[in-house]
Amino acid sequence: MLTGRWMMGAGSMRRFEGRVALVTGGGAGLGRATALRLATEGADIAISGGRSSWAEPVVAECWAVLFLARGLEPIIINKLQRPGNDWNLDPYDIKHLVEYISGKFQHDKQWRIVTMEASVEHLLKVPILYMNGHEALEFNDQEKAKLREYVEKGGTILGEACCGHKAFDRSFRALIKELWPDREMIRLPKGHIIYTTPGIVRNSPLLLGLPMGDGQQGRLGVIYSPYDHSCRWCVGGKKGRNSFTLGANIYFYVTKVGRRLAAAD
């Protein structure tokens, strides 16, 4: 008879991700060792045992092992949480994109959710700050100052108008113009490296970028899509292949090319 059962999830893309492992007798010995090993491989663990007091310490150990394993994986995208639910209309968009990037570059990576309460120093630990939605963006003066400082100190804002909604599109463009009144977002040419490296993006979907150097030179501190990719990232499948390639290329640009351009400015 099962008297104790606990579930734990793993966010990293690993061999047993998406599978549930029922470990009987997981409170000690071989059962305990099996539970810990499966946890590091990304499985959801269900531990059963004769006494709940035996299983509870193993649950804690599984979380500790998982935390240590994931702590070695770099966080590459912050998803910005805003009031309401407009920020998370496609709840699996960045999760699936980061999983794709992890496979593409053969190194596990992570993402996280942040709010504008985070300090600039905290935000700068991650190279990309992602925001999207249907509705108009609303930031107070302090939050706008944080966004500007984040970009000017080396971060990159990635914006997307989910489903091409005009309210978000107008507000995002207005926000960037307010933060950098002396700069203009430009349409990226078809030959831009974001469309070609490391993968070829078919049909060069419209992207705008804000160069941080003189004129139209330097790294792009803002990359913006007025059209939808998040729905394709969220759903996955073959129809989203072009959007996944674009997302991986943006990551490559920000972390490789953009940093070299920033160093040259």
Side-chain angles (χ1 to χ4, degrees), residues 159-173:
E160 184 234 39
C162 182
C163 302
H165 272 252
K166 295 301 182 183
F168 182 95
D169 177 65
R170 288 191 295 267
S171 69
F172 188 88
R173 293 173 189 258

PDB file of all heavy atoms in Angstrom, residues 159-173:
ATOM      1  N   GLY A 159      11.948  41.834 -28.456  1.00  0.00           N
ATOM      2  CA  GLY A 159      10.520  42.103 -28.391  1.00  0.00           C
ATOM      3  C   GLY A 159       9.779  41.418 -29.519  1.00  0.00           C
ATOM      4  O   GLY A 159      10.327  41.208 -30.605  1.00  0.00           O
ATOM      5  N   GLU A 160       8.510  41.071 -29.257  1.00  0.00           N
ATOM      6  CA  GLU A 160       7.701  40.430 -30.291  1.00  0.00           C
ATOM      7  C   GLU A 160       6.234  40.761 -30.074  1.00  0.00           C
ATOM      8  O   GLU A 160       5.720  40.658 -28.946  1.00  0.00           O
ATOM      9  CB  GLU A 160       7.894  38.911 -30.246  1.00  0.00           C
ATOM     10  CG  GLU A 160       7.152  38.187 -31.356  1.00  0.00           C
ATOM     11  CD  GLU A 160       6.230  37.084 -30.817  1.00  0.00           C
ATOM     12  OE1 GLU A 160       5.589  37.299 -29.748  1.00  0.00           O
ATOM     13  OE2 GLU A 160       6.147  36.045 -31.457  1.00  0.00           O
ATOM     14  N   ALA A 161       5.575  41.190 -31.132  1.00  0.00           N
ATOM     15  CA  ALA A 161       4.135  41.448 -31.079  1.00  0.00           C
ATOM     16  C   ALA A 161       3.419  40.134 -31.322  1.00  0.00           C
ATOM     17  O   ALA A 161       3.302  39.680 -32.466  1.00  0.00           O
ATOM     18  CB  ALA A 161       3.734  42.491 -32.124  1.00  0.00           C
ATOM     19  N   CYS A 162       2.961  39.506 -30.266  1.00  0.00           N
ATOM     20  CA  CYS A 162       2.308  38.206 -30.383  1.00  0.00           C
ATOM     21  C   CYS A 162       1.092  38.319 -31.299  1.00  0.00           C
ATOM     22  O   CYS A 162       0.252  39.209 -31.127  1.00  0.00           O
ATOM     23  CB  CYS A 162       1.892  37.715 -28.994  1.00  0.00           C
ATOM     24  SG  CYS A 162       1.134  36.084 -28.979  1.00  0.00           S
ATOM     25  N   CYS A 163       1.038  37.422 -32.289  1.00  0.00           N
ATOM     26  CA  CYS A 163      -0.060  37.419 -33.279  1.00  0.00           C
ATOM     27  C   CYS A 163      -0.128  38.720 -34.071  1.00  0.00           C
ATOM     28  O   CYS A 163      -1.156  39.022 -34.696  1.00  0.00           O
ATOM     29  CB  CYS A 163      -1.399  37.137 -32.611  1.00  0.00           C
ATOM     30  SG  CYS A 163      -1.463  35.569 -31.715  1.00  0.00           S
ATOM     31  N   GLY A 164       0.958  39.506 -34.037  1.00  0.00           N
ATOM     32  CA  GLY A 164       1.009  40.749 -34.792  1.00  0.00           C
ATOM     33  C   GLY A 164       0.084  41.837 -34.265  1.00  0.00           C
ATOM     34  O   GLY A 164      -0.279  42.760 -35.014  1.00  0.00           O
ATOM     35  N   HIS A 165      -0.274  41.786 -32.977  1.00  0.00           N
ATOM     36  CA  HIS A 165      -1.232  42.752 -32.438  1.00  0.00           C
ATOM     37  C   HIS A 165      -0.663  44.169 -32.457  1.00  0.00           C
ATOM     38  O   HIS A 165       0.457  44.417 -32.013  1.00  0.00           O
ATOM     39  CB  HIS A 165      -1.644  42.359 -31.023  1.00  0.00           C
ATOM     40  CG  HIS A 165      -2.814  41.430 -31.006  1.00  0.00           C
ATOM     41  ND1 HIS A 165      -4.061  41.805 -30.609  1.00  0.00           N
ATOM     42  CD2 HIS A 165      -2.923  40.127 -31.384  1.00  0.00           C
ATOM     43  CE1 HIS A 165      -4.897  40.785 -30.714  1.00  0.00           C
ATOM     44  NE2 HIS A 165      -4.227  39.746 -31.176  1.00  0.00           N
ATOM     45  N   LYS A 166      -1.489  45.092 -32.961  1.00  0.00           N
ATOM     46  CA  LYS A 166      -1.038  46.459 -33.184  1.00  0.00           C
ATOM     47  C   LYS A 166      -0.844  47.241 -31.887  1.00  0.00           C
ATOM     48  O   LYS A 166      -0.002  48.145 -31.828  1.00  0.00           O
ATOM     49  CB  LYS A 166      -2.030  47.187 -34.089  1.00  0.00           C
ATOM     50  CG  LYS A 166      -2.112  46.605 -35.499  1.00  0.00           C
ATOM     51  CD  LYS A 166      -0.745  46.641 -36.190  1.00  0.00           C
ATOM     52  CE  LYS A 166      -0.826  46.104 -37.604  1.00  0.00           C
ATOM     53  NZ  LYS A 166       0.516  46.074 -38.261  1.00  0.00           N
ATOM     54  N   ALA A 167      -1.612  46.935 -30.851  1.00  0.00           N
ATOM     55  CA  ALA A 167      -1.466  47.686 -29.595  1.00  0.00           C
ATOM     56  C   ALA A 167      -0.069  47.475 -29.027  1.00  0.00           C
ATOM     57  O   ALA A 167       0.591  48.444 -28.611  1.00  0.00           O
ATOM     58  CB  ALA A 167      -2.529  47.236 -28.586  1.00  0.00           C
ATOM     59  N   PHE A 168       0.391  46.232 -29.007  1.00  0.00           N
ATOM     60  CA  PHE A 168       1.745  45.971 -28.528  1.00  0.00           C
ATOM     61  C   PHE A 168       2.762  46.609 -29.471  1.00  0.00           C
ATOM     62  O   PHE A 168       3.739  47.223 -29.028  1.00  0.00           O
ATOM     63  CB  PHE A 168       1.998  44.473 -28.414  1.00  0.00           C
ATOM     64  CG  PHE A 168       3.360  44.124 -27.870  1.00  0.00           C
ATOM     65  CD1 PHE A 168       3.536  43.866 -26.514  1.00  0.00           C
ATOM     66  CD2 PHE A 168       4.486  44.072 -28.695  1.00  0.00           C
ATOM     67  CE1 PHE A 168       4.790  43.560 -25.998  1.00  0.00           C
ATOM     68  CE2 PHE A 168       5.739  43.773 -28.198  1.00  0.00           C
ATOM     69  CZ  PHE A 168       5.890  43.519 -26.839  1.00  0.00           C
ATOM     70  N   ASP A 169       2.549  46.436 -30.756  1.00  0.00           N
ATOM     71  CA  ASP A 169       3.493  46.956 -31.749  1.00  0.00           C
ATOM     72  C   ASP A 169       3.695  48.458 -31.586  1.00  0.00           C
ATOM     73  O   ASP A 169       4.829  48.944 -31.531  1.00  0.00           O
ATOM     74  CB  ASP A 169       2.972  46.642 -33.155  1.00  0.00           C
ATOM     75  CG  ASP A 169       3.867  47.207 -34.243  1.00  0.00           C
ATOM     76  OD1 ASP A 169       5.023  46.764 -34.350  1.00  0.00           O
ATOM     77  OD2 ASP A 169       3.403  48.098 -34.987  1.00  0.00           O
ATOM     78  N   ARG A 170       2.602  49.205 -31.505  1.00  0.00           N
ATOM     79  CA  ARG A 170       2.716  50.660 -31.372  1.00  0.00           C
ATOM     80  C   ARG A 170       3.420  51.041 -30.069  1.00  0.00           C
ATOM     81  O   ARG A 170       4.261  51.950 -30.052  1.00  0.00           O
ATOM     82  CB  ARG A 170       1.322  51.295 -31.436  1.00  0.00           C
ATOM     83  CG  ARG A 170       0.693  51.287 -32.811  1.00  0.00           C
ATOM     84  CD  ARG A 170      -0.546  52.162 -32.850  1.00  0.00           C
ATOM     85  NE  ARG A 170      -1.602  51.627 -31.987  1.00  0.00           N
ATOM     86  CZ  ARG A 170      -2.569  50.814 -32.412  1.00  0.00           C
ATOM     87  NH1 ARG A 170      -2.614  50.440 -33.675  1.00  0.00           N
ATOM     88  NH2 ARG A 170      -3.492  50.387 -31.564  1.00  0.00           N
ATOM     89  N   SER A 171       3.079  50.340 -28.986  1.00  0.00           N
ATOM     90  CA  SER A 171       3.662  50.707 -27.695  1.00  0.00           C
ATOM     91  C   SER A 171       5.145  50.353 -27.625  1.00  0.00           C
ATOM     92  O   SER A 171       5.927  51.095 -27.025  1.00  0.00           O
ATOM     93  CB  SER A 171       2.905  50.023 -26.554  1.00  0.00           C
ATOM     94  OG  SER A 171       3.122  48.628 -26.541  1.00  0.00           O
ATOM     95  N   PHE A 172       5.525  49.241 -28.245  1.00  0.00           N
ATOM     96  CA  PHE A 172       6.938  48.866 -28.220  1.00  0.00           C
ATOM     97  C   PHE A 172       7.766  49.873 -29.004  1.00  0.00           C
ATOM     98  O   PHE A 172       8.825  50.322 -28.542  1.00  0.00           O
ATOM     99  CB  PHE A 172       7.141  47.461 -28.789  1.00  0.00           C
ATOM    100  CG  PHE A 172       8.542  46.942 -28.629  1.00  0.00           C
ATOM    101  CD1 PHE A 172       8.913  46.262 -27.484  1.00  0.00           C
ATOM    102  CD2 PHE A 172       9.502  47.150 -29.608  1.00  0.00           C
ATOM    103  CE1 PHE A 172      10.214  45.790 -27.310  1.00  0.00           C
ATOM    104  CE2 PHE A 172      10.805  46.683 -29.455  1.00  0.00           C
ATOM    105  CZ  PHE A 172      11.154  46.004 -28.303  1.00  0.00           C
ATOM    106  N   ARG A 173       7.311  50.231 -30.179  1.00  0.00           N
ATOM    107  CA  ARG A 173       8.040  51.220 -30.981  1.00  0.00           C
ATOM    108  C   ARG A 173       8.136  52.558 -30.241  1.00  0.00           C
ATOM    109  O   ARG A 173       9.188  53.213 -30.264  1.00  0.00           O
ATOM    110  CB  ARG A 173       7.354  51.404 -32.333  1.00  0.00           C
ATOM    111  CG  ARG A 173       7.415  50.175 -33.247  1.00  0.00           C
ATOM    112  CD  ARG A 173       6.557  50.393 -34.477  1.00  0.00           C
ATOM    113  NE  ARG A 173       6.379  49.215 -35.289  1.00  0.00           N
ATOM    114  CZ  ARG A 173       7.027  48.945 -36.430  1.00  0.00           C
ATOM    115  NH1 ARG A 173       7.918  49.807 -36.897  1.00  0.00           N
ATOM    116  NH2 ARG A 173       6.786  47.851 -37.116  1.00  0.00           N
TER     117      ARG A 173
END
